[in-house]
Amino acid sequence: MKMEEKRRGPPIHCPSMALLAILFCIFLGSSRPVVIVSATATPAFSPRDNHLIDCGADNLATLPDGRIFKTDKQAADYLTYDGEHKFSSQSADDVPSALYTTASAFSKEAIYTFSITSAGWHWIRLHFHAFRHDKISLFEANFTVTADNLVLLRNFGPDSSTPVVVKEYLVNVTTEKLEIKFTPENDKVAFVNAIEVVSAPDYLIEDSASNLIGGGQFGGLSSRSYETVYRLNMGGPLVTSSNDTLGRTWENDENYLNSTLLAKNASVSTSAIKYPDGKSLDRYIAPSLIYATAQQMGDANMASPTFNVTWDFNTTSGFSYLIRLHFCDIVSKSLYQLYFNVFINQQMAVAGLDLSKETMALSTAYYRDIYVDSAVVTEKLKLQIGPNTDKEGDANAIINGVEILKMNNQVNSLDGFIGADGKKAVAGGSSKTVVAAVGLAMMFGTFVGLGAMVIKWQKRPQDWQKRNSFSSWLLPIHAGDTSFMSSKNSLGSQRTSTFFSSTLGLGRFFSFAELQEATKDFDSRAIIGVGGFGNVYLGVIDDGTKVAVKRGNPQSEQGINEFQTELQMLSKLRHRHLVSLIGYCDENSEMILVYEYMSNGPFRDHLYGKNLPQLSWRQRLEICIGAARGLHYLHTGAAQGIIHRDVKTTNILLDDAFVAKVADFGLSKNAPTMEQGHVSTAVKGSFGYLDPEYFRRQQLTDKSDVYSFGVVLLEALCARPAINPALPREQVNLAEWAMMWKRKGLLDKIIDPSLVGTINPESMKKFAEAAEKCLADYGVDRPSMGDVLWNLEYALQLQESSAQGKTEETSTIAVGGPVAPAIPDNSPVASPQETNNSPAQVPVIEDHSGTAMFAQFAALNGR
Ligand SMILES: *[C@@H]1O[C@H](CO)[C@@H](O)[C@H](O)[C@H]1NC(C)=O
Ligand SMILES: *[C@@H]1O[C@H](CO)[C@@H](O)[C@H](O)[C@H]1NC(C)=O
Ligand SMILES: *[C@@H]1O[C@H](CO)[C@@H](O)[C@H](O)[C@H]1NC(C)=O
């Protein structure tokens, strides 16, 4: 094909032209160069070849889109078949189009020959609708269809669940004649209701696309053939051939959305849509109706949109796919506000897409083609969009349209692995074979690197649902951070145990037998918490002391990192408001941590969801103050300072006296040194609690914990989860919702009903201010934990003095600000008795923060 004319490719092909264009804009003082408003300017496409046949019909069929299909008689020259073939349905009642009341049916091979006047891309559309007829049973048809030597359908038969099937292909025809052949199989008949063979624009498919695997460009696309498997108008209505520029159909995407709650549609008037100046992207690529609607992130304006919007499609393994993604920034108020990523099958497909840079204007059409090699195609294809974490901006992501095209395979088939000549494809499902082969190779200890890569990819979807990290379901922090021991084997060895206890002072070493006894051989009735990493058991050791025994799943490689992290962290930390580690066991590759037992469980359980007695405002304040002390100690008390990274109400545990202790240090990190200022890391944490700045910049500071603690404060006040997807959209995210009311000065409207009338207004005000400051967008604007602690203590004082009928205020305290408060017990508690006074329990991990849906969205790096 003559496709070498000007082409729209991801990189700008002619830098000097681009530069000129930019200079041109600067001269004109305009930010939008060379964009023509062409929604109505482009004339209707008139295909050179336009063969439309209503098979078996006696009368002309005019479709709603105005196209007229030939009768069987008019199309007689096309068909090579001797025998009766015209059939019409006895009842024409419930068919969606006149095309479906008649069919041509064949009991032996039949050929339609189309003369091609203009070589190039052609649509082939085949319409099928089986109906009853006394002479023939179309419902039992079974046949193969080829176009020249390309297999379109192999052993195809109608399926009663989908009465009308329209198959669409895009084929680059280079010959003067195109033969479409119907061959009955298995002594059944073949049939077809209508056939279209229609020219398409030359530039519809370019010769190359970005390769999903390994990046770079994949070429040779103009000599391939395609079947349209999905064509979606994201966030918009069904667009039929009447409204499309090339007779295509675009479906709404909602049926494919993994969770409709996470997406929200956007639309503008079609007249607002512009096409860039240049032949290769005009309304034939997609009509303005497609670009005028989009799906974007649901609640994208919430404090920390740390998720992807996901669509699931069915694909066929063994085939490669071409995926066309249509974009048009109809959501931004100004340029350079929107940066996002697109993933296909969990691989980065488009990184940091900046539509402003690509189109230099808002509401301007743009598309990207991605080649997905059969090596990474399984039965499911996952498309995801999510905000870019590297850049500032609106933390949103959009997509306007998607086309998923299946590509012909090595035997030139689009259906199955047998060619038109009967030749079989070698190793049809190549990816599976590769995996099996690599698996074998791995058993023999070779090609481990490659094997791990392929296997990992294959196993991904399952892993993803049952996170099996030790402390939580989250991924471990970088291996480098837990470098003091890096392999599972060393952990299991006796030498290691000695090393542990002697050099690191990790508390008591328990033998496995001891812990077996303590937990009645890990009796399932002793389980008090369940997580992907394994279980938490209630145990009783020697003197009758209750302990929480957290036993890691030895199969979990991730767990080892977190086990080590937690052991390392906990061993350094002793504080009244941190859950204490009593000891550990690493015998026989076991990963067991033994903690004090916290009999009252997580703070969250006392706020909502468990029907436990309501906590008073004073109790809640005291618990928040305790947790704040624990965090303040983490940030400042330990030698280097530690960032918890996963502060939430399920990680604040209560002992029998309701003393709060912070737990779960599996994600903790040493705080940055002064020069560094932050720790760069992949975003970890829990959905609903994540610091938006940390998310945007992936830079961790102690202020990220402060943000999460702000969410904890709101939970304590409002007694609802940080994220509740069951609520109306604007209420889903607690931080966002509560801050909206706070700004209106009406926060008291959404507090826990059981607190109404019991909170001193001044106490409430102070508390709300503290929460608001914690939730500041930028870390620098947030207070330190010390300041938060000060504010909470003041709020408690106000509450107490009002309870005692004394409302006197000491103006010196009321000033607030960064005065370091006197914290009585923020220093390490050395005496073991004190720790033992407050026995404790380990986090009950089931039901963290959300529904099954969010658990499934664990890939959003938090639950
Ligand atoms: C957009 O979403 C709303 C709410 O779900 C729905 O009512 C509306 O029909 C959608 N618009 C389009 C164009 O699909
Ligand atoms: C499609 O075209 C028809 C006829 O021109 C029109 O009535 C209908 O509103 C259009 N649909 C959309 C979604 O614009
Ligand atoms: C979005 O999906 C990709 C691929 O599945 C994943 O790597 C990434 O972490 C996800 N992003 C978020 C914010 O969950």
Side-chain angles (χ1 to χ4, degrees), residues 769-804:
E769 273 169 22
E772 186 177 35
K773 284 184 203 149
C774 289
L775 295 172
D777 263 351
Y778 295 93
V780 291
D781 300 331
R782 293 176 206 145
S784 69
M785 273 323 291
D787 297 338
V788 178
L789 185 51
W790 188 91
N791 278 284
L792 293 177
E793 286 184 325
Y794 188 42
L796 178 62
Q797 247 180 15
L798 291 168
Q799 180 71 18
E800 289 189 333
S801 55
S802 77
Q804 292 156 15

Side-chain angles (χ1 to χ4, degrees), residues 369-402:
D369 284 342
I370 311 289
Y371 169 76
V372 183
D373 191 86
S374 62
V376 292
V377 171
T378 58
E379 305 297 315
K380 296 274 174 223
L381 186 129
K382 196 175 274 299
L383 172 69
Q384 293 173 294
I385 58 172
N388 191 334
T389 52
D390 301 338
K391 290 196 177 151
E392 305 281 330
D394 286 345
N396 198 356
I398 65 161
I399 189 160
N400 304 62
V402 173

Side-chain angles (χ1 to χ4, degrees), residues 321-340:
Y321 285 79
L322 181 66
I323 300 186
R324 176 162 295 178
L325 308 166
H326 296 272
F327 301 102
C328 185
D329 187 353
I330 56 170
V331 298
S332 295
K333 303 266 183 295
S334 58
L335 285 171
Y336 305 106
Q337 287 301 305
L338 180 67
Y339 309 95
F340 58 97

Side-chain angles (χ1 to χ4, degrees), residues 87-88 90 131-137:
F87 296 93
S88 51
Q90 267 112 23
F131 53 74
R132 307 220 168 271
H133 191 277
D134 44 18
K135 285 206 194 132
I136 199 158
S137 175

Side-chain angles (χ1 to χ4, degrees), residues 64 237-240 242-243 270 289:
L238 172 73
V239 173
T240 62
S242 311
N243 306 75
T270 51
L289 264 174

Side-chain angles (χ1 to χ4, degrees), residues 22-56:
I22 290 162
L23 286 176
F24 185 67
C25 311
I26 291 169
F27 264 96
L28 293 179
S30 148
S31 62
R32 39 168 86 167
V34 288
V35 172
I36 53 162
V37 181
S38 58
T40 49
T42 324
F45 183 72
S46 60
R48 295 281 294 278
D49 295 312
N50 193 22
H51 304 284
L52 308 170
I53 303 174
D54 184 5
C55 303

Side-chain angles (χ1 to χ4, degrees), residues 261-262 298-307 686-692 707 710-712 714-715 718 720-741 743 747 750 775 854 863:
L261 273 172
L262 294 185
D299 294 297
N301 304 322
M302 69 195 210
S304 49
T306 57
F307 57 88
S686 293
F687 198 46
Y689 294 90
L690 261 188
D691 166 12
Y707 182 91
V711 180
V712 167
L714 293 177
E715 264 181 275
C718 305
R720 54 148 284 183
I723 291 286
N724 183 352
L727 291 173
R729 229 165 262 261
E730 70 279 8
Q731 303 183 25
V732 168
N733 183 298
L734 172 60
E736 187 191 337
W737 173 239
M739 284 306 109
M740 195 191 87
W741 287 96
R743 281 190 293 273
L747 189 57
I750 59 162
L775 295 172
F854 278 91
R863 290 138 278 163

